[in-house]
Amino acid sequence: MSDQPLQYLSENREQLLEKLNNFLSIPSVSTDSVHKQDINEAANFLETYLNDIGFDNVAQQDTGGHPLIYAEYNQAGPEAPTVLFYGHYDVQPVDPIDQWASDPFKPEIRDGRLYARGASDDKGQVFMHLAVFEAYMKTEGKLPLNVKVCIEGEEEIGSENLYDVLHDKKQQFDADFAVISDSGMVAQNQPTILYGLKGFTGIEINVSGPDHDLHSGMYGGAVRNPIMALNHILTSMKNENEVVTVDGFYDGVEPLSEEERELIQNVQGEDYAEATGATETASEKGYSAKEHTMARPTFEINGMYGGYQGEGTKTIIPSDATAKITCRLVPGQDPERIQELLEKHIHNVTPSGVTVDVKKEKLSAKAYKVEPDHPLIKKAAESYTKAFGKDTVYVRMGGSIPVVEWIEAIYQMPIVLLGFGTPEDRLHSPNESFLLDSFDKGMETLVYYWSNVNGL
Amino acid sequence: MSDQPLQYLSENREQLLEKLNNFLSIPSVSTDSVHKQDINEAANFLETYLNDIGFDNVAQQDTGGHPLIYAEYNQAGPEAPTVLFYGHYDVQPVDPIDQWASDPFKPEIRDGRLYARGASDDKGQVFMHLAVFEAYMKTEGKLPLNVKVCIEGEEEIGSENLYDVLHDKKQQFDADFAVISDSGMVAQNQPTILYGLKGFTGIEINVSGPDHDLHSGMYGGAVRNPIMALNHILTSMKNENEVVTVDGFYDGVEPLSEEERELIQNVQGEDYAEATGATETASEKGYSAKEHTMARPTFEINGMYGGYQGEGTKTIIPSDATAKITCRLVPGQDPERIQELLEKHIHNVTPSGVTVDVKKEKLSAKAYKVEPDHPLIKKAAESYTKAFGKDTVYVRMGGSIPVVEWIEAIYQMPIVLLGFGTPEDRLHSPNESFLLDSFDKGMETLVYYWSNVNGL
């Protein structure tokens, strides 16, 4: 291969970073409808960029929700392989906003990191792919393989409409393999191939008691307190050993093999307590924090609320209370079945005097595991190692990318998860950032990869 | 006695109701600092009214917080008794505002009820007293006894500064007995004398885990979830039998005598399930809902919150969670000791991986019990019965009025609790209202009472 694309990337680094900043400055928060206009602006940015690079059939596809950006490049010829590149341009909400050191939508570089919502998840990594395609087109006038681009705007809200699109337009999105950069490395400068992802499902529990907030002096002692009732329900679902106590939750979960435990042990992972600021780690009895996070199912309360939250005291018994729960699943667990088990359990343990309503999260995903020694995976690892100058490690991770499961289920194509984030990126949190060293070496990795996948 | 005051009240009913509406239209919410101006407006209303009636030394006293309205009438002469009348002009917040059928600060009469925040608690009942004083002055040119008026603006926030005022100005507030109308009857048109009130104390629990919200996929399984940790703490404090499981909580509580159980049984109380809209009642094991509410201590979570509450899903592990708790106490329980027991228990059961902070409510109150056959109480019962045409019942109630305990502790004067509210008033809740029948008969009761306390 020629070094021209690499040269182009280093010579144009400033302009590329400036362009990335423009992309990150758009508050494309998908979960909140007030940002609809920003979502469209981010979509327009991508449509323009892909046209400028020289892609064909660039279009904003109507999904029923936020637009999906599609583009293709077929000039590598029928002999060359076709890759489906997936990414997303929507980002998480920014609250609590007061904990940000700088404006989440005014990108700022501090100590070699680019701070902005979406810098790592996933606008930054999407941009790296486009910049690499630009480098090839500007220097060699062509790409080394055929490409189909699929960048959605609803990943942070469960890829609301993507499943239908992928399902209804098999012809359009079909390819030889898929590449996704929406994950991270286990440590800075540690090339990491994800060979396993967790599945995902969720429910919302609402407990209703009295039909209005009550004076705690007039009715305290006469009715069930919905918050306390919800507390009793939730504590019956996971104990203090971090073991989920819902009947059947662990059914079908394959036991962690000694080999895999050793593999996980050998991963130079981050110090969880340090990275999170928790006083100490807490994990499922019998498993280390690393084992639980990477390879065991989890049950988390993402939010809970009921009653008075304002200044001072309000002596009421609230009329209702709500909890939002999501679970990360491993191979062997079926999301819909897990939802049913949770719902059944909740109805069984709900105390008298209150009624409970369980809302099931519509979008769920099964866990995903790929063969680590597939040639496309090994080639990715080589490119990774060449760019970062370090051996690539293979890991499973706790995150879920529903689209991965869908692409596998619908297209049966191999999926290469090339993530360039680092554990310190603070995804979904205040002060999200992306390491510029990963930005440079990540693009280098992609240049090596694209120029070597031919014929695999 | 002459019937003139009664006649005046019925002849001027419309004007009096209109004046009450002006008073209720002022959103004097004490818990929220944005209403400071409204608080002052309500205080000015009372100052003006008391001056118009003909009270002496009318003044807004600086308490360090919201002003206290003071006024006195000494022209009944040294032989006549002096009553200390206490009430409050501040009201509870109105949230959830969307559950109000009409604007909480645009009083509206529907089906014989006056709907407005404060209509029953306590602006409406305060106004009845002032209207009766007005009736006496306008018709007989004098009041049948000497009066000291004390109307505060901080009852709904725990009477923040009143305690110091009562303590520092004993001379000013000293009297032969006190009358308070800040409570209710056990049923419509059922004259009720409160001979017992519960004490009150509270704490706020904050559980902190990670120093920022975490991605549940990256860290789920590695750290303790603060919401779940708080759930475990709270469920360890009260079980599903509604029994408080904090060591020593019931120490010193005098057992409920058979006589008292019978007395409570005989009170024609409300149907709690119907009044609250709960599917069924829930009370401490071994006690009926009526017994628990009237004569047993309670433990209620008034509010709880942590993590994501917005639209959609946010897959985080929150950095912290908070619960606001208040307890209603009975004779034998010391508020400060209860706070210490709760705090000790919380620290004992807090799981690893999180830190807990317990804030103690500054204002607390012991429970209160008075001799039912004190002549001033019996005379009140007679006046009550005469006005309502029904025998008066004697009850203990679950509510707490800190000032009652303080007046007793500081002045050792008998306190007569003449409440005219009804169980359907929805105090502290959306659609608070006051029964106009109680408004009329309550004022009648006061006229009878004032004209008969002389010489007791």
Side-chain angles (χ1 to χ4, degrees):
Chain A
M1 61 163 284
S2 86
D3 288 344
Q4 289 183 299
L6 292 178
Q7 208 176 324
Y8 179 90
L9 290 170
S10 62
E11 284 170 2
N12 295 274
R13 190 170 184 272
E14 288 320 303
Q15 298 88 308
L16 289 171
L17 275 176
E18 191 180 327
K19 187 162 190 155
L20 169 56
N21 287 352
N22 297 337
F23 188 31
L24 293 173
S25 301
I26 307 166
S28 49
V29 178
S30 52
T31 197
D32 190 339
S33 38
V34 305
H35 287 289
K36 184 69 187 137
Q37 195 43 51
D38 305 311
I39 283 286
N40 293 334
E41 200 185 323
N44 295 338
F45 173 95
L46 292 171
E47 181 181 19
T48 307
Y49 193 8
L50 287 161
N51 276 316
D52 295 346
I53 294 171
F55 275 89
D56 307 313
N57 306 323
V58 180
Q60 293 193 28
Q61 295 194 349
D62 177 16
T63 64
H66 302 326
L68 178 151
I69 307 302
Y70 179 78
E72 54 188 34
Y73 176 84
N74 303 318
Q75 296 155 42
E79 296 313 309
T82 299
V83 65
L84 172 65
F85 164 63
Y86 164 89
H88 65 92
Y89 64 83
D90 63 319
V91 299
Q92 279 276 321
V94 296
D95 54 87
I97 183 67
D98 58 321
Q99 288 178 27
W100 285 78
S102 57
D103 186 324
F105 299 113
K106 289 209 180 82
E108 191 175 291
I109 293 178
R110 300 194 295 271
D111 309 332
R113 284 192 162 272
L114 177 59
Y115 287 85
R117 168 61 85 222
S120 176
D121 178 15
D122 182 37
K123 283 161 131 183
Q125 301 198 59
V126 163
F127 185 87
M128 288 161 67
H129 279 268
L130 302 194
V132 166
F133 291 138
E134 172 187 335
Y136 268 105
M137 295 297 279
K138 284 282 168 59
T139 56
E140 307 190 337
K142 58 182 170 56
L143 303 184
L145 76 172
N146 298 309
V147 178
K148 289 182 176 181
V149 173
C150 168
I151 307 173
E152 69 157 324
E154 300 185 317
E155 198 273 345
E156 301 296 0
I157 50 175
S159 300
E160 202 59 62
N161 301 289
L162 183 64
Y163 181 81
D164 295 336
V165 174
L166 290 176
H167 213 278
D168 303 344
K169 306 191 169 166
K170 283 182 100 157
Q171 195 54 37
Q172 181 188 337
F173 293 94
D174 199 9
D176 299 305
F177 68 111
V179 166
I180 300 177
S181 299
D182 191 20
S183 53
M185 311 183 288
V186 295
Q188 290 191 19
N189 203 59
Q190 173 55 68
T192 307
I193 293 278
L194 272 184
Y195 71 97
L197 282 168
K198 279 184 181 171
F200 168 91
T201 193
I203 58 168
E204 184 172 303
I205 310 175
N206 183 275
V207 173
S208 306
D211 59 18
H212 60 288
D213 291 347
L214 305 175
H215 187 299
S216 68
M218 291 176 64
Y219 297 105
V223 299
R224 189 81 69 180
N225 184 313
I227 297 177
M228 188 54 109
L230 182 52
N231 281 322
H232 279 288
I233 291 171
L234 294 169
T235 49
S236 76
M237 300 177 82
K238 188 168 86 170
N239 64 26
E240 297 194 40
N241 290 327
E242 297 293 322
V243 173
V244 178
T245 48
V246 174
D247 258 3
F249 184 81
Y250 294 102
D251 289 358
V253 173
E254 56 194 28
L256 209 56
S257 69
E258 277 318 308
E259 295 69 17
E260 191 142 31
R261 285 197 159 191
E262 199 174 324
L263 178 61
I264 291 172
Q265 211 39 56
N266 295 340
V267 173
Q268 173 223 336
E270 62 186 316
D271 178 326
Y272 286 126
E274 193 187 314
T276 64
T279 56
E280 60 185 87
T281 61
S283 57
E284 183 183 353
K285 191 164 195 224
Y287 299 91
S288 71
K290 232 192 300 181
E291 289 168 342
H292 191 180
T293 303
M294 292 185 181
R296 294 286 299 174
T298 63
F299 172 102
E300 295 294 351
I301 305 171
N302 309 119
M304 177 169 174
Y305 51 95
Y308 188 63
Q309 302 189 15
E311 226 181 297
T313 303
K314 191 176 181 202
T315 54
I316 57 166
I317 299 170
S319 63
D320 68 339
T322 302
K324 292 168 178 276
I325 293 166
T326 51
C327 294
R328 303 283 180 167
L329 311 175
V330 299
Q333 290 181 301
D334 175 70
E336 283 66 33
R337 177 155 181 282
I338 293 295
Q339 285 181 319
E340 281 156 21
L341 292 173
L342 297 178
E343 184 176 31
K344 180 156 167 270
H345 176 95
I346 290 162
H347 287 297
N348 286 343
V349 300
T350 299
S352 62
V354 295
T355 56
V356 67
D357 173 62
V358 176
K359 244 193 252 100
K360 293 174 180 168
E361 166 77 42
K362 268 191 270 64
L363 276 298
S364 294
K366 285 205 178 84
Y368 169 82
K369 231 172 141 184
V370 66
E371 219 27 82
D373 53 14
H374 186 290
L376 280 162
I377 296 284
K378 291 174 79 170
K379 181 60 68 182
E382 286 167 29
S383 309
Y384 229 144
T385 298
K386 185 173 175 189
F388 284 76
K390 198 148 187 279
D391 284 347
T392 300
V393 295
Y394 293 73
V395 300
R396 289 170 63 173
M397 276 198 174
S400 319
I401 311 179
V403 67
V404 172
E405 189 228 342
W406 301 339
I407 291 176
E408 190 197 30
I410 300 171
Y411 300 89
Q412 291 87 38
M413 64 171 81
I415 301 161
V416 183
L417 300 173
L418 273 178
F420 300 109
T422 55
E424 299 75 19
D425 289 359
R426 298 204 159 190
L427 312 184
H428 294 206
S429 304
N431 304 310
E432 176 180 355
S433 68
F434 192 68
L435 189 66
L436 290 178
D437 180 63
S438 281
F439 180 73
D440 300 324
K441 292 177 178 167
M443 292 194 292
E444 194 178 337
T445 304
L446 294 174
V447 171
Y448 296 141
Y449 193 43
W450 296 144
S451 59
N452 285 289
V453 291
N454 229 312
L456 292 174
Chain B
M1 64 163 281
S2 85
D3 287 343
Q4 290 183 299
L6 291 179
Q7 208 177 326
Y8 178 90
L9 290 170
S10 61
E11 283 170 2
N12 296 274
R13 189 169 185 275
E14 289 319 303
Q15 297 90 309
L16 289 170
L17 275 176
E18 191 179 328
K19 188 164 190 152
L20 170 56
N21 287 352
N22 296 337
F23 188 31
L24 293 173
S25 301
I26 307 166
S28 49
V29 178
S30 52
T31 197
D32 191 339
S33 37
V34 304
H35 288 288
K36 183 67 188 140
Q37 194 43 52
D38 305 312
I39 284 286
N40 293 334
E41 202 186 321
N44 295 338
F45 173 95
L46 291 171
E47 183 182 19
T48 307
Y49 193 8
L50 286 160
N51 276 314
D52 295 346
I53 293 171
F55 276 88
D56 307 313
N57 306 323
V58 180
Q60 293 193 29
Q61 295 195 350
D62 177 17
T63 64
H66 302 325
L68 178 151
I69 307 302
Y70 179 78
E72 54 189 33
Y73 176 84
N74 303 318
Q75 296 156 41
E79 297 314 308
T82 299
V83 65
L84 171 65
F85 164 64
Y86 164 89
H88 65 91
Y89 64 85
D90 63 320
V91 298
Q92 279 276 321
V94 296
D95 54 85
I97 183 67
D98 58 321
Q99 289 180 26
W100 284 78
S102 57
D103 186 325
F105 298 112
K106 291 212 180 77
E108 190 176 291
I109 294 177
R110 300 193 297 270
D111 311 328
R113 285 191 161 271
L114 177 59
Y115 286 85
R117 169 60 87 222
S120 176
D121 178 17
D122 180 38
K123 283 160 129 184
Q125 301 198 58
V126 163
F127 186 87
M128 288 162 66
H129 280 269
L130 302 192
V132 166
F133 292 137
E134 172 187 334
Y136 268 106
M137 296 296 280
K138 284 279 168 60
T139 56
E140 307 188 338
K142 58 183 170 54
L143 302 183
L145 77 171
N146 298 310
V147 179
K148 288 182 176 181
V149 174
C150 169
I151 307 173
E152 69 156 323
E154 301 186 317
E155 198 272 345
E156 301 295 0
I157 51 175
S159 301
E160 201 59 61
N161 302 288
L162 183 65
Y163 180 82
D164 295 337
V165 174
L166 290 176
H167 212 278
D168 304 344
K169 306 193 169 162
K170 283 182 97 154
Q171 195 55 38
Q172 181 187 337
F173 293 94
D174 200 7
D176 298 307
F177 68 112
V179 167
I180 300 177
S181 299
D182 191 19
S183 53
M185 310 182 289
V186 295
Q188 290 190 19
N189 203 58
Q190 173 55 66
T192 307
I193 293 278
L194 271 185
Y195 71 97
L197 282 168
K198 280 184 181 171
F200 168 90
T201 193
I203 58 168
E204 184 172 307
I205 311 175
N206 183 275
V207 173
S208 306
D211 59 18
H212 61 287
D213 292 347
L214 304 174
H215 186 299
S216 69
M218 291 175 65
Y219 298 106
V223 298
R224 189 82 69 181
N225 184 313
I227 297 177
M228 189 53 112
L230 182 51
N231 280 324
H232 280 287
I233 292 171
L234 294 170
T235 49
S236 76
M237 300 177 83
K238 190 168 86 169
N239 64 26
E240 296 193 39
N241 290 328
E242 296 294 322
V243 174
V244 178
T245 47
V246 174
D247 258 4
F249 184 81
Y250 294 103
D251 289 359
V253 173
E254 54 194 32
L256 209 55
S257 68
E258 278 318 309
E259 295 70 16
E260 191 142 29
R261 284 196 160 192
E262 200 175 322
L263 177 64
I264 292 172
Q265 211 40 55
N266 296 340
V267 173
Q268 171 224 339
E270 61 187 317
D271 179 327
Y272 286 125
E274 192 188 314
T276 63
T279 56
E280 60 185 270
T281 61
S283 55
E284 181 182 354
K285 191 164 196 230
Y287 300 90
S288 71
K290 233 192 298 181
E291 289 168 342
H292 191 181
T293 303
M294 292 184 181
R296 294 286 298 176
T298 63
F299 172 103
E300 295 294 350
I301 305 170
N302 309 119
M304 178 170 173
Y305 50 97
Y308 187 64
Q309 303 188 14
E311 224 181 299
T313 302
K314 192 177 180 200
T315 53
I316 56 166
I317 298 169
S319 63
D320 67 340
T322 302
K324 292 168 178 276
I325 293 166
T326 51
C327 295
R328 303 283 181 169
L329 310 175
V330 299
Q333 291 181 300
D334 176 70
E336 283 66 30
R337 176 152 183 284
I338 293 295
Q339 286 180 319
E340 281 156 22
L341 292 174
L342 297 178
E343 184 177 30
K344 181 157 165 274
H345 176 95
I346 290 162
H347 286 298
N348 286 342
V349 301
T350 300
S352 62
V354 294
T355 56
V356 67
D357 173 61
V358 177
K359 245 193 252 97
K360 292 174 181 168
E361 165 77 40
K362 269 189 270 64
L363 275 300
S364 292
K366 286 205 177 83
Y368 169 81
K369 232 172 140 183
V370 66
E371 221 25 84
D373 53 15
H374 185 291
L376 281 162
I377 297 284
K378 290 174 80 168
K379 180 61 67 182
E382 285 167 29
S383 310
Y384 230 143
T385 299
K386 185 173 175 188
F388 285 76
K390 197 148 187 281
D391 283 347
T392 300
V393 295
Y394 293 73
V395 298
R396 288 170 65 174
M397 277 202 174
S400 320
I401 310 178
V403 67
V404 171
E405 190 228 342
W406 302 338
I407 292 175
E408 189 198 29
I410 300 171
Y411 299 89
Q412 290 89 37
M413 64 171 80
I415 302 161
V416 183
L417 301 174
L418 274 179
F420 301 109
T422 55
E424 299 76 18
D425 289 358
R426 299 204 161 190
L427 311 183
H428 295 205
S429 304
N431 303 310
E432 176 179 354
S433 67
F434 192 67
L435 190 66
L436 289 178
D437 180 64
S438 282
F439 180 73
D440 299 325
K441 291 176 178 167
M443 291 194 293
E444 194 179 336
T445 303
L446 294 173
V447 170
Y448 295 142
Y449 193 44
W450 296 143
S451 59
N452 286 288
V453 291
N454 229 313
L456 293 174

